[in-house]
Amino acid sequence: MTYKLIATDMDGTALTDDKRLSPRTIAAMDKAIEQGKYVVFSTGRSISLIRPYIDMIKGMRYAITASGGTVIDLETGKFLLHRMIDAETSKRIIAASNGCYVYPILFYENETYGSGWCVDNLEDFGLPAYAEIYRSYMNVVDDSMNYFMEHPAELEKFNLFFGNDYEADEVFEKIKNLPVTFTTHNSRSLEINAVGVNKAEGLRLLCERLGIDMSEVIAVGDAENDEEMIACAGLKVAMANGSDRVKALADVIADTNENDGVAKIIEQYLLD
């Protein structure tokens, strides 16, 4: 089979544990693009938090961000898909999480907002590896929830990271019937998007625009919000460091993110 596009998750997949693209991964992506293939980041991050990585890859044209809520043409800045959570629903999510020890990250168009005191205490939320990227590329405000209440608008996505194991489930019970999609729900976090959002939706739309059949696509990931994307691809790839559920979907288990797993998949299955 000849593959024309690879869609790869970032954290836990294309990126190492210290949130870097290895030289081998950069070289493999560059070579694939030179050969006329498409290399696409498909990530839960906002565009602002992937910009430094995009700048490392020559000619990357498209990205799927906000867990599939946004598909962007990086050359023109045009949104091919942009699904939003309405402001009133966002206010109800904020109200439900008041009183929790929580780090709320809010995705406005192209920008990410987080609370300064949380950035200073990332270990409490299991996020110390993100310190450099958050400090450099996030809009750090005194309190991101208060900021939203003062500047209400549609949001691309909420990330809620909790300091206590029981809080995510408590908040989920309060908001589970809202018109949203929970792209991730575990004991310490909730990843909240507009209704119907997932990475597969964004990937299908992009491939339709490019005239690429899904059988010609490689999808690589490691976690819950990658499952639909992997399931719809021609070559389904799970990282060796990924969840058991993701591995159960896969045709191929790649090496770990620490051992150039994505680069090896590109070299074996995408390059001519």
Side-chain angles (χ1 to χ4, degrees):
M1 181 68 193
T2 299
Y3 297 103
K4 297 180 179 179
L5 182 150
I6 185 167
T8 176
D9 176 50
M10 296 182 71
D11 297 288
T13 303
L15 302 183
T16 58
D17 288 344
D18 62 357
K19 307 306 175 187
R20 303 191 184 280
L21 280 173
S22 73
R24 183 173 179 178
T25 300
I26 293 170
M29 290 180 172
D30 282 345
K31 189 169 183 179
I33 293 169
E34 288 171 6
Q35 293 182 358
K37 310 298 176 62
Y38 291 95
V39 176
V40 178
F41 285 138
S42 183
T43 177
R45 296 186 184 211
S46 70
I47 187 64
S48 64
L49 296 186
I50 70 170
R51 275 291 178 193
Y53 303 100
I54 291 169
D55 291 343
M56 298 177 188
I57 310 300
K58 301 171 186 175
M60 183 179 285
R61 179 67 187 268
Y62 301 98
I64 300 166
T65 64
S67 297
T70 298
V71 180
I72 187 169
D73 183 328
L74 299 167
E75 184 175 292
T76 66
K78 179 182 177 181
F79 293 120
L80 307 183
L81 177 70
H82 204 41
R83 296 199 185 279
M84 307 290 280
I85 305 170
D86 68 85
E88 289 306 311
T89 298
S90 297
K91 289 178 182 178
R92 294 178 67 181
I93 294 170
I94 287 173
S97 55
N98 276 338
C100 295
Y101 188 49
V102 60
Y103 180 14
I105 300 177
L106 313 181
F107 291 45
Y108 286 82
E109 287 190 15
N110 293 330
E111 299 291 339
T112 313
Y113 288 78
S115 303
W117 71 269
C118 295
V119 176
D120 292 336
N121 294 279
L122 289 175
E123 289 190 6
D124 293 356
F125 305 100
L127 301 170
Y130 292 87
E132 180 181 346
I133 194 79
Y134 284 175
R135 292 185 187 280
S136 298
Y137 298 99
M138 179 183 284
N139 293 296
V140 178
V141 295
D142 288 340
D143 186 295
S144 54
M145 287 188 175
N146 287 342
Y147 181 87
F148 174 81
M149 297 304 287
E150 294 169 1
H151 306 86
E154 291 183 317
L155 294 181
E156 289 176 298
K157 182 183 167 187
F158 265 95
N159 276 348
L160 299 176
F161 296 100
F162 296 89
N164 299 301
D165 287 344
Y166 59 88
E167 290 177 318
D169 289 334
E170 287 184 349
V171 172
F172 175 77
E173 287 300 317
K174 295 177 184 177
I175 64 176
K176 64 183 180 182
N177 294 320
L178 291 179
V180 296
T181 295
F182 295 92
T183 40
T184 298
H185 171 201
N186 58 46
S187 64
R188 296 292 291 270
S189 68
L190 295 172
E191 184 177 334
I192 306 168
N193 286 85
V195 172
V197 165
N198 61 65
K199 290 183 179 183
E201 178 191 30
L203 180 57
R204 287 192 185 99
L205 181 144
L206 176 59
C207 289
E208 183 178 341
R209 294 290 186 96
L210 297 175
I212 295 173
D213 191 84
M214 294 304 296
S215 65
E216 301 172 308
V217 172
I218 303 168
V220 192
D222 71 309
E224 180 179 353
N225 68 355
D226 300 314
E227 291 173 7
E228 292 93 341
M229 176 181 75
I230 291 171
C232 77
L235 183 66
K236 305 166 177 61
V237 182
M239 302 300 290
N241 52 282
S243 71
D244 289 340
R245 282 180 46 159
V246 171
K247 290 177 184 176
L249 295 170
D251 302 313
V252 175
I253 305 298
D255 207 337
T256 68
N257 64 317
E258 285 290 281
N259 290 312
D260 295 313
V262 169
K264 292 172 183 177
I265 291 297
I266 293 172
E267 292 162 359
Q268 182 171 356
Y269 294 101
L270 190 62
L271 297 183
D272 296 332

